[in-house]
Amino acid sequence: MIKYVLSGGHISHIPHSRCVSTWAGEMACAKVPLDELHVTEPFGPQGKERTLPALHPDRKEERCFLSYKPPPEDGTAALLEEFLENAQFISEDLEWLLALPHDKFWCQVVFDESLQRCLDSYLRHAPRGLDPSGLSSSPAVADMQRNIHRSVFMVFLRMATHKESKENFITPAVFAEIIYNNYLFDIPKILDVCVLFGKGNSQLLHKMIENIFTQQPSYYADLNETIPSISQVFDTILQMCGIQSEDTGTGQPLKLNANKCQTAMTMPEEELADLLLYMCDTCTTIHSFLDIFPEACSTFKEHNFLNRLSSFYEMAVPDLEKAVKKRNFNKSLQEDMWRRISHSRKKMVEIAHLLLQHTCLQPILEGTESMASCVDDLLQNFTAFLQEKRFLADYDEQFSIADDISLLQQAFPHLDDTRTSYLLQGVESAWECVGKKRSFPSSANHSAGAKSKTGRDLAASQKEGAGVLGDRDELIGAEAMTDVPCKGDNGAVCTVSAGELESLLCHIRDLLPDLGEGFILACLEEYGYNSELVINNVLEDKLSPSLDKLDRAMARPAKKELPSVLSTRSNAFDDDEFDVFNRDQLDMSRIWKGRRQRESVRATLDDKQHIEEQRERYQAYQTVVDEIPIENDPSRDRDNAFGTYDYDDEYDDTYDVNQIGANDLDEEDELLNRRPFTTPQVLRKGKQAQEDDADEDEEEEDKNEAVKKDHFVQDPAVLRERAEARRAAMQSRKGYRPPPASHVVGGPRGRGQMQDTVLDRRRKEANKSRGANHNRRTMADRKRNKGMIPS
């Protein structure tokens, strides 16, 4: 028997024989929150009693919750059996958890890590609306998945409730700390809960999430930090598609080799499918969260999420649609990809409408004090949409902008008509730029209101039902945004969307597979796109004469694609070496960013390319041909064999090396250069005669050495050494002695100086007037004494 004790004191001992209902009545009178409640229970083999807080790890039951695994897609018997066995354990454990009393439930939730792993695995791996799953392969699998789905939702709903009854509750402040500090809820979990359980449970989920954000406002700060990560998802998708985003620019120019990265047309098939799944899941999750919890729209608005979404739509959607249409995929895979793109388009447009409705339109309708600022904000958002032509046309098709402007004019009579007219003209321009035709004129507010009402009814119908996106309108999504004009039976002009046209074709071809799509299209145009009438007339052979003449296997006419802008452009720089649109490879060495960095001095010195160029030139001098083979061909010119002349032994080459006339002098002043002037031997003194003889001997030796040397180019270092040696020998013969080394600098002050230093300083002081400009006064006195300077 367990005794419950208050935090301020003990309740009197409850005997085992006492009626349980009486004990429960006394506990009901206490009304103590769970965080203040203490429990006395037996402990150990001897059954001694101990008192613990009601929320304590020792009160947790030892139970291991298994992780969830999704149903198998292939539907083999072994995999189905494994899934059913694992799901049965999870279902039983969750039912056991939900049956626990209030205190035991919270002990298990807070302190059991395996339970949190089980719930996280379901949120991560549970099949979404458009995901392929094996639910249709077996009724048992569908029933088991439905039971787990319900149990998980009930667990999250109970975890988000801090007061189950008047007796079972937790203090709101403590409840906020428990769910936040133990990570029972976080923003990713809340987003997954909305997308998994939002269909048919929107009111319960709204109360649940509202209670979480109300009791713990820190979740608003977490949401504020999560929105940039959501925007980063769009940037990642654009980067994978090879599209440069203007909002994520770092101020640096786009690299010229950026066209080498993969695009939606070149990426692998599996990667493209994963990318579309990623985009579809992100858009569906955000839409579910904002639809269930509109209070978060203001937080998204603070991050300029609406403009970011519209620019992403304009840049990514056309490329992805083109890739899915033009590339050759498996038919089932291509249909799945197109379904995901259409669904993503529809959800992105609805996200934009939710943000505008809850941040601008709803305050205007309620007549709040900030109505004027909301009107201006709404018009600014519509003006920002004008540059996103594709997004603006798709948004106006689902939610009429003319209807919203009419509502603004009724709520705010002083609205600027010029501004509204400019917006409506921009919407018309967007429709024309995209190439769509509207089924109603923009000035007909009645039609616009009816169309907007239809869009809202469609959105409301999508909120009902189970959590599986099996609705046809939901799957088609924004696919039905390209309209085809037609005429009904009464001659009235109607419109058939591209999605409806494809549906009519598939419906007729399923019944009449031998007919070609071109023939079916002609029949639909003839009978006002009435599929029943077409089928009836084909089967009864009552077709009109114009259709009888057509080939029943006629294929669908191919659509003529407009030439790309790059193919029709005309530019002065077409086909030059930097034309990145027509060239796949560029010489990147001739392209640089900013000021060109010149080569360093070290790099210039290390560059030996000029040596290699000169080496080829001088290799010709290394080839010596001793013998030239000459064939006995009388028609061949012997003198031109190998480009040379034959050696003539009778030729006298004595004077070939003499440069005749090279030293001839034309001026009288240069006649002395023929032979240097020399002093006669008789007039020379003894020492001068020896010096002149020595100089002549040196010149003769140098001439002899120069004659003996057979170097083409001598080493400059060797020449310098020889010149230094000759200079030293000449100075030694003349008796020249180099001046001794000077020691004027000496050592540091205060330590005394050497004798050589003292003498050198004295000698410098005495002789410093010999040179430089130290004896100006002496020389000036000398000039004045000689009368050179007038005094």
Side-chain angles (χ1 to χ4, degrees):
M1 183 65 185
I2 300 176
K3 296 188 296 183
Y4 289 82
V5 182
L6 298 178
S7 60
H10 291 271
I11 299 177
S12 60
H13 177 69
I14 303 174
H16 294 276
S17 60
R18 188 170 182 180
C19 180
V20 177
S21 61
T22 305
W23 165 76
E26 292 183 1
M27 286 302 301
C29 295
K31 295 182 180 180
V32 180
L34 182 62
D35 52 284
E36 299 179 3
L37 188 64
H38 285 67
V39 177
T40 301
E41 58 184 8
F43 175 73
Q46 298 179 358
K48 294 183 179 181
E49 295 182 349
R50 65 173 180 174
T51 302
L52 296 174
L55 289 176
H56 196 274
D58 292 343
R59 302 195 64 224
K60 173 179 70 71
E61 297 290 340
E62 295 298 333
R63 198 178 188 97
C64 181
F65 289 83
L66 300 179
S67 298
Y68 172 81
K69 296 181 180 179
E73 297 181 7
D74 51 0
T76 58
L79 295 177
L80 289 177
E81 184 179 358
E82 180 183 0
F83 168 77
L84 291 175
E85 183 179 3
N86 184 74
Q88 183 65 30
F89 287 125
I90 296 175
S91 179
E92 293 176 357
D93 291 339
L94 293 179
E95 291 177 359
W96 170 83
L97 177 67
L98 292 172
L100 290 177
H102 186 250
D103 56 339
K104 286 287 188 179
F105 172 81
W106 279 101
C107 287
Q108 204 72 26
V109 166
V110 174
F111 303 112
D112 194 346
E113 296 181 358
S114 64
L115 172 60
Q116 296 302 323
R117 287 195 297 268
C118 175
L119 297 177
D120 291 345
S121 64
Y122 185 80
L123 294 180
R124 185 180 300 110
H125 300 296
R128 268 64 172 172
L130 296 180
D131 293 345
S133 61
L135 299 179
S136 59
S137 60
S138 173
V141 173
D143 293 340
M144 185 59 66
Q145 177 66 24
R146 193 178 300 108
N147 293 335
I148 296 179
H149 189 80
R150 179 185 177 279
S151 299
V152 172
F153 175 67
M154 295 303 297
V155 170
F156 277 111
L157 191 62
R158 191 174 182 184
M159 287 167 52
T161 305
H162 70 283
K163 184 176 182 180
E164 296 184 1
S165 63
K166 294 183 179 180
E167 296 82 17
N168 300 323
F169 64 95
I170 305 175
T171 305
V174 178
F175 169 77
E177 294 180 0
I178 289 175
I179 63 175
Y180 192 78
N181 296 334
N182 294 281
Y183 296 95
L184 301 184
F185 288 100
D186 52 26
I187 299 301
K189 285 185 180 180
I190 294 174
L191 294 176
D192 289 335
V193 167
C194 289
V195 74
L196 285 176
F197 307 105
K199 296 296 181 179
N201 304 306
S202 58
Q203 294 182 357
L204 285 176
L205 279 178
H206 176 73
K207 293 181 180 179
M208 165 183 161
I209 298 175
E210 184 181 18
N211 184 58
I212 293 174
F213 277 82
T214 302
Q215 303 301 331
Q216 181 54 273
S218 299
Y219 284 109
Y220 280 105
D222 293 348
L223 178 62
N224 195 38
E225 296 177 359
T226 305
I227 295 176
S229 301
I230 299 175
S231 299
Q232 186 64 32
V233 172
F234 296 150
D235 298 336
T236 303
I237 296 174
L238 292 177
Q239 184 178 2
M240 294 179 67
C241 294
I243 303 174
Q244 180 73 11
S245 175
E246 298 177 359
D247 297 338
T248 58
T250 58
Q252 299 181 356
L254 179 64
K255 296 181 179 180
L256 293 178
N257 58 354
N259 57 343
K260 296 182 180 179
C261 63
Q262 65 178 7
T263 61
M265 294 294 295
T266 60
M267 69 172 57
E269 179 178 326
E270 296 180 356
E271 189 173 348
L272 180 59
D274 293 340
L275 184 65
L276 295 177
L277 175 61
Y278 188 32
M279 181 180 68
C280 180
D281 183 65
T282 302
C283 297
T284 305
T285 303
I286 298 173
H287 174 265
S288 301
F289 175 66
L290 294 178
D291 189 24
I292 293 172
F293 189 60
E295 289 82 353
C297 292
S298 58
T299 307
F300 277 81
K301 179 185 175 184
E302 293 174 358
H303 289 266
N304 199 22
F305 186 80
L306 188 58
N307 293 334
R308 187 71 191 89
L309 180 67
S310 61
S311 62
F312 169 78
Y313 187 99
E314 191 74 15
M315 289 186 289
V317 169
D319 284 0
L320 293 175
E321 285 186 344
K322 181 180 179 182
V324 174
K325 289 180 179 178
K326 300 298 182 182
R327 297 180 62 177
N328 295 325
F329 295 113
N330 186 12
K331 185 177 181 180
S332 59
L333 178 62
Q334 190 173 18
E335 291 178 355
D336 181 70
M337 288 182 177
W338 184 257
R339 189 163 56 247
R340 292 186 186 280
I341 291 179
S342 302
H343 184 73
S344 301
R345 288 179 57 191
K346 185 176 181 64
K347 291 305 176 184
M348 281 189 280
V349 172
E350 291 179 355
I351 289 172
H353 179 69
L354 285 174
L355 293 175
L356 292 177
Q357 179 180 0
H358 293 287
T359 58
C360 300
L361 290 174
Q362 189 170 352
I364 294 172
L365 295 177
E366 294 175 355
T368 59
E369 298 179 355
S370 60
M371 183 175 65
S373 61
C374 292
V375 170
D376 186 66
D377 192 12
L378 181 63
L379 294 178
Q380 287 182 359
N381 286 312
F382 285 155
T383 305
F385 290 163
L386 293 180
Q387 60 182 352
E388 317 294 349
K389 304 292 185 181
R390 181 75 176 273
F391 177 80
L392 181 62
D394 293 348
Y395 180 89
D396 183 64
E397 186 171 9
Q398 292 194 50
F399 308 99
S400 175
I401 296 179
D403 191 20
D404 293 336
I405 292 178
S406 176
L407 181 64
L408 292 181
Q409 292 174 346
Q410 297 176 9
F412 200 75
H414 302 289
L415 195 63
D416 188 4
D417 294 337
T418 304
R419 192 174 184 181
T420 56
S421 300
Y422 172 74
L423 289 176
L424 294 176
Q425 291 177 3
V427 174
E428 292 293 335
S429 176
W431 279 82
E432 295 176 0
C433 182
V434 175
K436 294 183 178 181
K437 293 184 179 180
R438 308 179 69 169
S439 58
F440 56 88
S442 60
S443 60
N445 293 333
H446 177 73
S447 301
K451 182 177 182 299
S452 177
K453 181 179 179 181
T454 304
R456 292 186 178 89
D457 292 342
L458 178 61
S461 64
Q462 291 170 355
K463 298 180 182 178
E464 301 176 357
V468 180
L469 301 177
D471 192 10
R472 178 178 177 272
D473 294 332
E474 186 74 12
L475 294 181
I476 293 176
E479 182 184 2
M481 291 185 178
T482 303
D483 296 337
V484 177
C486 66
K487 290 186 178 181
D489 296 336
N490 55 358
V493 178
C494 61
T495 57
V496 176
S497 64
E500 294 174 352
L501 183 61
E502 294 295 331
S503 177
L504 293 175
L505 287 174
C506 294
H507 176 60
I508 297 175
R509 291 208 65 185
D510 289 341
L511 298 177
L512 304 171
D514 57 328
L515 299 180
E517 292 187 358
F519 181 76
I520 297 176
L521 284 175
C523 294
L524 289 173
E525 292 176 0
E526 181 69 21
Y527 295 108
Y529 292 88
N530 189 343
S531 59
E532 296 180 358
L533 185 59
V534 170
I535 294 173
N536 182 58
N537 290 339
V538 170
L539 294 178
E540 295 182 359
D541 199 10
K542 294 182 179 179
L543 294 175
S544 60
S546 60
L547 296 177
D548 282 333
K549 299 178 182 179
L550 298 178
D551 183 10
R552 297 203 172 194
M554 181 176 60
R556 191 172 186 175
K559 295 182 180 179
K560 295 183 180 180
E561 296 186 359
L562 297 176
S564 62
V565 178
L566 294 179
S567 62
T568 58
R569 69 172 189 150
S570 179
N571 196 293
F573 303 101
D574 286 347
D575 299 326
D576 64 355
E577 58 179 332
F578 301 114
D579 191 359
V580 296
F581 300 107
N582 296 326
R583 292 179 179 271
D584 296 333
Q585 295 181 355
L586 300 178
D587 185 6
M588 302 304 297
S589 62
R590 300 196 58 195
I591 300 172
W592 60 86
K593 181 173 63 176
R595 179 176 295 178
R596 186 176 184 179
Q597 299 293 333
R598 299 292 181 180
E599 296 182 354
S600 61
V601 178
R602 176 61 59 186
T604 304
L605 294 176
D606 293 341
D607 186 8
K608 306 300 181 182
Q609 184 178 1
H610 62 285
I611 298 178
E612 298 295 334
E613 295 175 356
Q614 295 294 332
R615 182 173 299 170
E616 297 179 358
R617 178 180 179 181
Y618 289 105
Q619 279 180 355
Y621 295 98
Q622 298 179 359
T623 304
V624 178
V625 181
D626 295 334
E627 296 180 359
I628 300 176
I630 300 178
E631 300 178 359
N632 296 326
D633 188 0
S635 63
R636 184 172 180 179
D637 189 2
R638 296 183 57 187
D639 294 339
N640 295 330
F642 291 92
T644 59
Y645 296 96
D646 295 339
Y647 176 72
D648 188 5
D649 199 21
E650 300 294 334
Y651 179 72
D652 186 8
D653 56 355
T654 304
Y655 300 99
D656 285 353
V657 297
N658 295 336
Q659 298 180 0
I660 301 173
N663 295 328
D664 292 346
L665 301 177
D666 297 334
E667 299 180 4
E668 296 178 357
D669 297 338
E670 298 178 356
L671 293 177
L672 297 177
N673 294 333
R674 286 192 174 187
R675 183 177 181 182
F677 177 78
T678 56
T679 306
Q681 187 72 19
V682 180
L683 300 178
R684 294 181 185 177
K685 295 181 181 180
K687 185 176 181 180
Q688 183 178 3
Q690 293 178 0
E691 291 178 358
D692 294 341
D693 293 340
D695 294 340
E696 292 177 359
D697 295 340
E698 289 179 1
E699 291 178 0
E700 291 179 359
E701 291 177 1
D702 293 342
K703 291 180 179 179
N704 295 334
E705 290 180 0
V707 172
K708 293 178 182 179
K709 296 291 183 179
D710 191 17
H711 296 296
F712 184 77
V713 177
Q714 294 187 1
D715 189 1
V718 177
L719 296 177
R720 287 193 294 269
E721 292 178 0
R722 292 176 181 175
E724 186 66 26
R726 289 195 301 271
R727 189 181 303 107
M730 182 180 63
Q731 291 177 354
S732 62
R733 287 195 300 269
K734 292 181 180 182
Y736 173 78
R737 185 177 63 180
S742 177
H743 301 281
V744 179
V745 178
R749 290 185 178 182
R751 299 183 182 179
Q753 303 294 338
M754 298 178 60
Q755 186 65 22
D756 296 340
T757 304
V758 176
L759 293 176
D760 290 342
R761 289 180 178 178
R762 188 180 302 169
R763 187 181 301 106
K764 177 182 178 182
E765 182 68 23
N767 299 324
K768 69 180 182 180
S769 62
R770 292 176 56 191
N773 202 19
H774 297 285
N775 54 352
R776 288 178 295 177
R777 181 174 299 175
T778 304
M779 296 301 296
D781 293 341
R782 182 179 178 183
K783 292 180 180 180
R784 187 179 294 107
N785 293 336
K786 290 185 177 182
M788 299 176 67
I789 300 176
S791 56

